[in-house]
Short mmCIF file of all heavy atoms in Angstrom, two decimals:
data_model
loop_
_atom_site.label_atom_id
_atom_site.label_comp_id
_atom_site.label_asym_id
_atom_site.label_seq_id
_atom_site.Cartn_x
_atom_site.Cartn_y
_atom_site.Cartn_z
N ARG O 1 -28.43 -72.58 -106.49
CA ARG O 1 -29.59 -72.61 -107.38
C ARG O 1 -30.87 -72.29 -106.62
O ARG O 1 -31.76 -71.61 -107.13
CB ARG O 1 -29.71 -73.99 -108.06
CG ARG O 1 -28.54 -74.32 -108.96
CD ARG O 1 -28.86 -75.46 -109.92
NE ARG O 1 -29.27 -76.68 -109.26
CZ ARG O 1 -28.44 -77.59 -108.79
NH1 ARG O 1 -27.13 -77.40 -108.88
NH2 ARG O 1 -28.89 -78.70 -108.22
N GLN O 2 -30.98 -72.81 -105.40
CA GLN O 2 -32.18 -72.57 -104.61
C GLN O 2 -32.28 -71.12 -104.14
O GLN O 2 -33.37 -70.54 -104.09
CB GLN O 2 -32.20 -73.52 -103.41
CG GLN O 2 -32.42 -74.98 -103.79
CD GLN O 2 -32.18 -75.93 -102.64
OE1 GLN O 2 -31.89 -75.50 -101.52
NE2 GLN O 2 -32.28 -77.23 -102.90
N SER O 3 -31.14 -70.53 -103.80
CA SER O 3 -31.16 -69.17 -103.25
C SER O 3 -30.98 -68.10 -104.31
O SER O 3 -31.13 -66.91 -104.02
CB SER O 3 -30.05 -69.02 -102.20
OG SER O 3 -28.77 -69.15 -102.81
N GLY O 4 -30.68 -68.52 -105.54
CA GLY O 4 -30.41 -67.54 -106.59
C GLY O 4 -29.05 -66.89 -106.44
O GLY O 4 -28.81 -65.81 -106.98
N GLY O 5 -28.16 -67.55 -105.71
CA GLY O 5 -26.83 -67.01 -105.47
C GLY O 5 -25.94 -67.10 -106.70
O GLY O 5 -26.27 -67.78 -107.68
N PRO O 6 -24.79 -66.44 -106.65
CA PRO O 6 -23.88 -66.43 -107.80
C PRO O 6 -23.13 -67.75 -107.93
O PRO O 6 -22.99 -68.50 -106.96
CB PRO O 6 -22.91 -65.29 -107.46
CG PRO O 6 -22.88 -65.27 -105.96
CD PRO O 6 -24.28 -65.62 -105.54
N PRO O 7 -22.62 -68.05 -109.12
CA PRO O 7 -21.83 -69.27 -109.30
C PRO O 7 -20.40 -69.06 -108.83
O PRO O 7 -19.98 -67.94 -108.53
CB PRO O 7 -21.87 -69.49 -110.81
CG PRO O 7 -21.92 -68.09 -111.36
CD PRO O 7 -22.76 -67.30 -110.40
N ILE O 8 -19.64 -70.16 -108.81
CA ILE O 8 -18.20 -70.06 -108.58
C ILE O 8 -17.50 -70.48 -109.86
O ILE O 8 -18.00 -71.32 -110.61
CB ILE O 8 -17.74 -70.96 -107.41
CG1 ILE O 8 -18.15 -72.42 -107.65
CG2 ILE O 8 -18.31 -70.47 -106.09
CD1 ILE O 8 -17.59 -73.38 -106.62
N ASP O 9 -16.36 -69.85 -110.14
CA ASP O 9 -15.56 -70.20 -111.30
C ASP O 9 -14.61 -71.32 -110.89
O ASP O 9 -13.68 -71.11 -110.11
CB ASP O 9 -14.78 -68.98 -111.80
CG ASP O 9 -14.00 -69.27 -113.09
OD1 ASP O 9 -13.93 -70.45 -113.49
OD2 ASP O 9 -13.47 -68.31 -113.69
N LEU O 10 -14.81 -72.51 -111.42
CA LEU O 10 -14.04 -73.68 -111.01
C LEU O 10 -12.56 -73.56 -111.37
O LEU O 10 -11.74 -74.28 -110.79
CB LEU O 10 -14.63 -74.94 -111.66
CG LEU O 10 -16.05 -75.30 -111.24
CD1 LEU O 10 -16.57 -76.47 -112.08
CD2 LEU O 10 -16.11 -75.64 -109.76
N LEU O 11 -12.23 -72.68 -112.29
CA LEU O 11 -10.83 -72.51 -112.67
C LEU O 11 -10.09 -71.50 -111.80
O LEU O 11 -8.87 -71.40 -111.87
CB LEU O 11 -10.72 -72.09 -114.15
CG LEU O 11 -11.32 -73.05 -115.17
CD1 LEU O 11 -11.08 -72.54 -116.58
CD2 LEU O 11 -10.74 -74.45 -115.01
N GLU O 12 -10.84 -70.77 -110.97
CA GLU O 12 -10.24 -69.70 -110.18
C GLU O 12 -10.21 -69.98 -108.69
O GLU O 12 -9.47 -69.35 -107.95
CB GLU O 12 -10.99 -68.38 -110.43
CG GLU O 12 -10.85 -67.85 -111.85
CD GLU O 12 -9.43 -67.42 -112.17
OE1 GLU O 12 -8.69 -67.05 -111.23
OE2 GLU O 12 -9.06 -67.46 -113.36
N ILE O 13 -11.03 -70.91 -108.20
CA ILE O 13 -11.10 -71.15 -106.76
C ILE O 13 -9.81 -71.79 -106.26
O ILE O 13 -9.10 -72.45 -107.02
CB ILE O 13 -12.31 -72.04 -106.40
CG1 ILE O 13 -12.22 -73.40 -107.12
CG2 ILE O 13 -13.61 -71.34 -106.72
CD1 ILE O 13 -13.32 -74.36 -106.75
N PRO O 14 -9.47 -71.61 -104.97
CA PRO O 14 -8.26 -72.23 -104.41
C PRO O 14 -8.32 -73.75 -104.47
O PRO O 14 -9.40 -74.34 -104.54
CB PRO O 14 -8.26 -71.74 -102.95
CG PRO O 14 -9.16 -70.55 -102.93
CD PRO O 14 -10.19 -70.77 -103.99
N ASP O 15 -7.15 -74.37 -104.42
CA ASP O 15 -7.07 -75.83 -104.51
C ASP O 15 -7.88 -76.51 -103.41
O ASP O 15 -8.52 -77.54 -103.64
CB ASP O 15 -5.61 -76.29 -104.43
CG ASP O 15 -4.83 -75.92 -105.68
OD1 ASP O 15 -5.46 -75.64 -106.72
OD2 ASP O 15 -3.58 -75.90 -105.62
N ARG O 16 -7.84 -75.96 -102.20
CA ARG O 16 -8.55 -76.59 -101.09
C ARG O 16 -10.06 -76.58 -101.32
O ARG O 16 -10.76 -77.55 -100.99
CB ARG O 16 -8.21 -75.88 -99.78
CG ARG O 16 -8.81 -76.58 -98.56
CD ARG O 16 -8.19 -76.12 -97.27
NE ARG O 16 -8.72 -76.85 -96.14
CZ ARG O 16 -8.34 -78.07 -95.77
NH1 ARG O 16 -7.40 -78.69 -96.46
NH2 ARG O 16 -8.87 -78.67 -94.73
N GLU O 17 -10.56 -75.50 -101.90
CA GLU O 17 -11.99 -75.46 -102.20
C GLU O 17 -12.34 -76.44 -103.30
O GLU O 17 -13.40 -77.08 -103.27
CB GLU O 17 -12.41 -74.04 -102.59
CG GLU O 17 -13.91 -73.87 -102.74
CD GLU O 17 -14.32 -72.43 -103.01
OE1 GLU O 17 -13.46 -71.53 -102.92
OE2 GLU O 17 -15.51 -72.22 -103.32
N MET O 18 -11.46 -76.59 -104.28
CA MET O 18 -11.70 -77.57 -105.33
C MET O 18 -11.72 -78.98 -104.76
O MET O 18 -12.53 -79.82 -105.16
CB MET O 18 -10.62 -77.45 -106.41
CG MET O 18 -10.67 -78.57 -107.47
SD MET O 18 -12.28 -78.83 -108.23
CE MET O 18 -12.47 -77.34 -109.20
N LEU O 19 -10.86 -79.27 -103.78
CA LEU O 19 -10.86 -80.59 -103.15
C LEU O 19 -12.20 -80.89 -102.48
O LEU O 19 -12.65 -82.04 -102.46
CB LEU O 19 -9.73 -80.68 -102.12
CG LEU O 19 -8.31 -80.84 -102.67
CD1 LEU O 19 -7.30 -80.77 -101.54
CD2 LEU O 19 -8.17 -82.16 -103.42
N SER O 20 -12.82 -79.86 -101.93
CA SER O 20 -14.12 -80.07 -101.27
C SER O 20 -15.25 -80.28 -102.27
O SER O 20 -16.29 -80.85 -101.93
CB SER O 20 -14.44 -78.88 -100.36
OG SER O 20 -14.71 -77.71 -101.12
N ILE O 21 -15.07 -79.82 -103.51
CA ILE O 21 -16.09 -79.97 -104.56
C ILE O 21 -15.91 -81.26 -105.33
O ILE O 21 -16.87 -81.98 -105.62
CB ILE O 21 -16.03 -78.76 -105.52
CG1 ILE O 21 -16.48 -77.49 -104.80
CG2 ILE O 21 -16.89 -79.00 -106.77
CD1 ILE O 21 -16.32 -76.24 -105.61
N ARG O 22 -14.66 -81.59 -105.64
CA ARG O 22 -14.36 -82.79 -106.43
C ARG O 22 -14.74 -84.06 -105.66
O ARG O 22 -14.27 -84.30 -104.56
CB ARG O 22 -12.87 -82.81 -106.77
CG ARG O 22 -12.46 -83.95 -107.69
CD ARG O 22 -10.95 -84.06 -107.75
NE ARG O 22 -10.34 -82.85 -108.25
CZ ARG O 22 -9.19 -82.35 -107.78
NH1 ARG O 22 -8.57 -82.93 -106.77
NH2 ARG O 22 -8.69 -81.25 -108.30
N GLY O 23 -15.61 -84.85 -106.23
CA GLY O 23 -16.07 -86.07 -105.58
C GLY O 23 -17.30 -85.86 -104.72
O GLY O 23 -17.95 -86.83 -104.31
N ASP O 24 -17.64 -84.60 -104.45
CA ASP O 24 -18.81 -84.29 -103.62
C ASP O 24 -19.88 -83.64 -104.49
O ASP O 24 -20.89 -84.25 -104.82
CB ASP O 24 -18.39 -83.38 -102.47
CG ASP O 24 -19.54 -83.07 -101.52
OD1 ASP O 24 -20.54 -83.80 -101.54
OD2 ASP O 24 -19.43 -82.10 -100.75
N ARG O 25 -19.66 -82.39 -104.89
CA ARG O 25 -20.64 -81.69 -105.73
C ARG O 25 -20.50 -82.07 -107.21
O ARG O 25 -21.46 -82.03 -107.96
CB ARG O 25 -20.49 -80.17 -105.57
CG ARG O 25 -20.75 -79.65 -104.16
CD ARG O 25 -22.16 -79.94 -103.70
NE ARG O 25 -22.28 -81.24 -103.06
CZ ARG O 25 -23.35 -82.00 -103.10
NH1 ARG O 25 -24.41 -81.64 -103.78
NH2 ARG O 25 -23.40 -83.17 -102.49
N ILE O 26 -19.27 -82.37 -107.64
CA ILE O 26 -19.02 -82.80 -109.01
C ILE O 26 -18.25 -84.11 -108.95
O ILE O 26 -17.19 -84.19 -108.31
CB ILE O 26 -18.20 -81.76 -109.81
CG1 ILE O 26 -18.90 -80.40 -109.82
CG2 ILE O 26 -17.98 -82.24 -111.24
CD1 ILE O 26 -18.10 -79.30 -110.49
N ALA O 27 -18.76 -85.14 -109.58
CA ALA O 27 -18.12 -86.46 -109.56
C ALA O 27 -17.93 -86.94 -110.98
O ALA O 27 -18.62 -86.51 -111.91
CB ALA O 27 -18.95 -87.45 -108.75
N MET O 28 -16.99 -87.87 -111.15
CA MET O 28 -16.65 -88.34 -112.50
C MET O 28 -16.53 -89.85 -112.52
O MET O 28 -15.93 -90.46 -111.63
CB MET O 28 -15.35 -87.69 -112.96
CG MET O 28 -14.99 -87.95 -114.41
SD MET O 28 -13.70 -86.81 -114.96
CE MET O 28 -13.50 -87.34 -116.67
N ILE O 29 -17.12 -90.46 -113.55
CA ILE O 29 -16.94 -91.88 -113.83
C ILE O 29 -15.92 -91.96 -114.97
O ILE O 29 -16.17 -91.47 -116.07
CB ILE O 29 -18.25 -92.56 -114.25
CG1 ILE O 29 -19.33 -92.35 -113.20
CG2 ILE O 29 -18.03 -94.04 -114.50
CD1 ILE O 29 -20.70 -92.82 -113.65
N PHE O 30 -14.79 -92.57 -114.69
CA PHE O 30 -13.72 -92.58 -115.67
C PHE O 30 -13.90 -93.71 -116.69
O PHE O 30 -14.64 -94.67 -116.48
CB PHE O 30 -12.36 -92.69 -114.98
CG PHE O 30 -12.02 -91.48 -114.17
CD1 PHE O 30 -12.34 -91.42 -112.82
CD2 PHE O 30 -11.40 -90.39 -114.76
CE1 PHE O 30 -12.04 -90.30 -112.07
CE2 PHE O 30 -11.09 -89.27 -114.01
CZ PHE O 30 -11.41 -89.21 -112.67
#
């Protein structure tokens, strides 16, 4: 957002990249 860079498609990224996002950049209260 700060650099105006492109987004990532959360449904297409590899599992390992999703692991680095889940709980860090995107978190969930169940």
Side-chain angles (χ1 to χ4, degrees):
R1 297 197 303 275
Q2 291 169 3
S3 65
I8 56 174
D9 184 351
L10 296 173
L11 300 183
E12 294 293 333
I13 58 176
D15 290 341
R16 186 164 183 80
E17 187 175 352
M18 172 51 69
L19 285 174
S20 69
I21 292 174
R22 185 191 300 142
D24 183 18
R25 297 299 88 213
I26 303 175
M28 188 165 180
I29 304 171
F30 293 93

